[in-house]
Every structure is written in structure tokens, then in C-alpha cells.
Amino acid sequence: MTIHIGLAGWGDHDDLYAAGVKPGDKLAQYANHFPVVEVDSTFYAIQSRERFAKWVADTPSSLHFVVKAYQGMTGHQRGKQEKTELAGQFAAFRHMLEPAIEVNRLRAALFQYPPWFQCNSENVRKLREAKAYMEEIPCALEFRHESWFSEKYSNKTIEFMENEGWIHSVCDEPQAGEGSIPTVLRTTNKEMTLVRFHGRNVSGWSQSSAPNWREVRYLYRYSEEELKEWAGKLQFLEQTSEHVCVIFNNNSGGDAAHNAKQMMELLGQKRPDGKPPLELLPKSKQPGDQPEQLELF
């Protein structure tokens, strides 16, 4: 049983890298700090197989990937798609993942569905269709509409994921109405559970009409007390899944890397390069310092 800590993306965490490092060299340096990374660029565009092969080749075998599904595959692009178009997207996405699959470095493809993806029979059908398209590739499932974990459907949602082979993506996120979900500490797959930390910025979570919404949505620094509480929850999940992959996505204020390293220290972990997790953090930005706040309006 193992808990793996990492970040969403690798380009926005400047504190991890030597001065002047080229963007193309950041992932290799990232691998010194964390054993898992979430690839988010694939949500916006399916990358070429060659680019993914380079990410794999440029990093040590200790680094594993969680890869976010393309937005066209999860209904973020509103409007009806022809079945042939959808099938083509899934085929291209599977092809892109092959370099990581071939060397056993893919933890999961992450299917995060939009806030308007409600719990109903049509969307259950779409989930079954998506899982069939992905064939034997491990897939994690994350909802953004609270109906899936309502009192009426929560147990049925978990049972559905177990029966269909979905990995549960457990979330810590703002509780901001129907466009957010509660933390449900249930595993659905004995091989893996995914945990994603989105922060707890309630005021910024649903302000999609604000001009700087994307800057403030994940603006949050977890306190040491909050992380200590979660360390126990991660160990609880570890009892029923071989691997628990933890992704810190609270990137807006540059807090994700600090919180991830704090969690590694709380769990008694070292970096993949053998160094203590908090080593090399700039003194001006040690975990526990007050984060720089961005204006909401």
C-alpha cells in the first residue's frame, strides 16, 4: 500500500526549478520532487504520441502519470457530437497514452465531468460508453454536480463505479452548492484511488463571470491542521487501495507545491531523489507563511 503525492501540471510551480530552466526541462526536474504528476494540457488538446513519448523518455521510471481526458470526451464542449467524431477522439487519446502504458507508468486517465453533468439515466449511459471506449485502460471518475452524491444516489454512484471498474476521484473542494461535491471517503478500485485537492475558496469557486475567475478559483493554502486531518484520511483510503495518488490542484497562489511537500513530510516520505521534501524551498516562501492574495473584484 503506497501513497503518492504530486501536482496538477508542472509548468506553474517556479519554486521547484533552478533559475533559468527551460520549459522543456521542467518535467525532468519535477521528477526529483514528486513521484506522480497530473497532465492537464490533454484536457485542452489531445497531444501527439511523440510528445507524450518524450515526456516519458525525459523522466525517470519513478515518475507516473495521471492524464486528464480531453474536454470533447467529457461533454465540456456543449453541443451534440457525431458518434464517429467521439470515437475518433477516444482512439486518438488512447494512442497518445501508449508510451506511458508500455512502460507501466500510467496510473490512470482522469475523466472529470462538468458542473452541468447531472445524475440521470442519459449520463449514466455516457459513462458506460466512455469506459467501453477506453477498453482496459484504468480510468478515474470525478463529478462536479452534487446530485451524484445526494442522499438518494450516493451509495448507488459508488456501487456503479465499483461495478463498471471506475477509480473514484475523491475531492477536497469548496462546498458551493450544486456545482461542487462533498468529500466521500470510499474506494471503488482495489488497485488505485485518486484524491484531488482543489482548495476551499468558496467565494472564487463559482465566479465564472468574473474577469479573473481562473486566477482565484484555486486560490487557497491548506493549513497544517487541515493537512494533518487529511493525512489520516489518506491512510484510511490506503487500507483498501494498493495505490493512493494525491494531486494538489490549489495552484492559483503558488501553494500547491508547498502543501504537497508538507503532506509528504507529515507522512514521513522522502522525495524520489532521496532528499527531504521541504529541502530547497525558498526561505521567503516556506509552508506556513501567509500566501499572497489576489483580488476577487
Side-chain angles (χ1 to χ4, degrees), residues 198-201 215-221 250-255 291-296:
H198 298 303
R200 300 178 181 179
N201 185 355
E215 294 177 343
V216 302
R217 181 172 173 82
Y218 301 108
L219 180 61
Y220 190 81
R221 176 172 291 189
N250 53 324
N251 293 335
S252 295
D255 299 309
E292 179 182 356
Q293 296 294 331
L294 300 177
E295 293 295 329
L296 284 176

Side-chain angles (χ1 to χ4, degrees), residues 111 117-120 127 141-162 166-173 175 177-188 194:
F111 282 72
F117 191 82
Q118 301 183 36
C119 183
N120 57 46
L127 292 175
L141 178 56
E142 181 173 325
F143 297 109
R144 279 284 168 86
H145 196 282
E146 66 177 357
S147 59
W148 295 94
F149 292 111
S150 65
E151 183 177 353
K152 180 178 181 180
Y153 290 118
S154 183
N155 287 334
K156 293 180 180 179
T157 295
I158 293 295
E159 183 179 353
F160 168 79
M161 285 195 275
E162 289 175 339
W166 287 99
I167 294 164
H168 185 199
S169 178
V170 180
C171 294
D172 184 282
E173 66 187 42
Q175 296 305 289
E178 67 177 19
S180 58
I181 61 169
T183 298
V184 179
L185 293 176
R186 298 277 298 276
T187 60
T188 60
L194 182 63

Side-chain angles (χ1 to χ4, degrees), residues 203-204 207 209-213 216 294-297:
S203 61
Q207 300 262 349
S209 59
N212 62 341
W213 171 68
V216 302
L294 300 177
E295 293 295 329
L296 284 176
F297 306 102

Side-chain angles (χ1 to χ4, degrees), residues 75 77-81:
Q77 295 176 328
R78 291 181 184 264
K80 187 176 181 180
Q81 291 188 80

Side-chain angles (χ1 to χ4, degrees), residues 42-46 69-79 81-82 85-87 89-90 111 113:
T42 49
F43 174 78
Y44 302 100
I46 298 174
Y70 173 57
Q71 59 185 328
M73 297 157 54
T74 52
H76 284 82
Q77 295 176 328
R78 291 181 184 264
Q81 291 188 80
E82 295 295 332
E85 179 187 2
L86 187 62
Q89 291 172 357
F90 274 90
F111 282 72
Y113 285 85

Side-chain angles (χ1 to χ4, degrees), residues 144-293:
R144 279 284 168 86
H145 196 282
E146 66 177 357
S147 59
W148 295 94
F149 292 111
S150 65
E151 183 177 353
K152 180 178 181 180
Y153 290 118
S154 183
N155 287 334
K156 293 180 180 179
T157 295
I158 293 295
E159 183 179 353
F160 168 79
M161 285 195 275
E162 289 175 339
N163 293 339
E164 298 293 323
W166 287 99
I167 294 164
H168 185 199
S169 178
V170 180
C171 294
D172 184 282
E173 66 187 42
Q175 296 305 289
E178 67 177 19
S180 58
I181 61 169
T183 298
V184 179
L185 293 176
R186 298 277 298 276
T187 60
T188 60
N189 186 293
K190 66 180 181 179
E191 296 297 325
M192 180 181 154
T193 297
L194 182 63
V195 178
R196 299 180 79 230
F197 286 88
H198 298 303
R200 300 178 181 179
N201 185 355
V202 177
S203 61
W205 186 252
S206 302
Q207 300 262 349
S208 58
S209 59
N212 62 341
W213 171 68
R214 294 189 181 280
E215 294 177 343
V216 302
R217 181 172 173 82
Y218 301 108
L219 180 61
Y220 190 81
R221 176 172 291 189
Y222 287 91
S223 68
E224 185 172 356
E225 291 72 24
E226 289 167 337
L227 293 175
K228 284 180 178 178
E229 180 183 355
W230 256 106
K233 293 177 180 178
L234 296 178
Q235 290 168 330
F236 170 77
L237 293 172
E238 186 187 19
Q239 295 175 25
T240 49
S241 273
E242 186 67 26
H243 301 281
V244 178
C245 289
V246 181
I247 299 295
F248 281 83
N249 189 38
N250 53 324
N251 293 335
S252 295
D255 299 309
H258 301 301
N259 281 159
K261 285 174 175 287
Q262 282 181 285
M263 183 62 79
M264 291 174 71
E265 186 170 71
L266 287 171
L267 294 172
Q269 297 182 355
K270 292 185 180 292
R271 292 168 22 169
D273 63 7
K275 296 178 181 178
L278 296 179
E279 186 171 319
L280 301 182
L281 282 180
K283 291 183 179 179
S284 61
K285 281 194 175 184
Q286 288 294 331
D289 292 350
Q290 290 297 316
E292 179 182 356
Q293 296 294 331

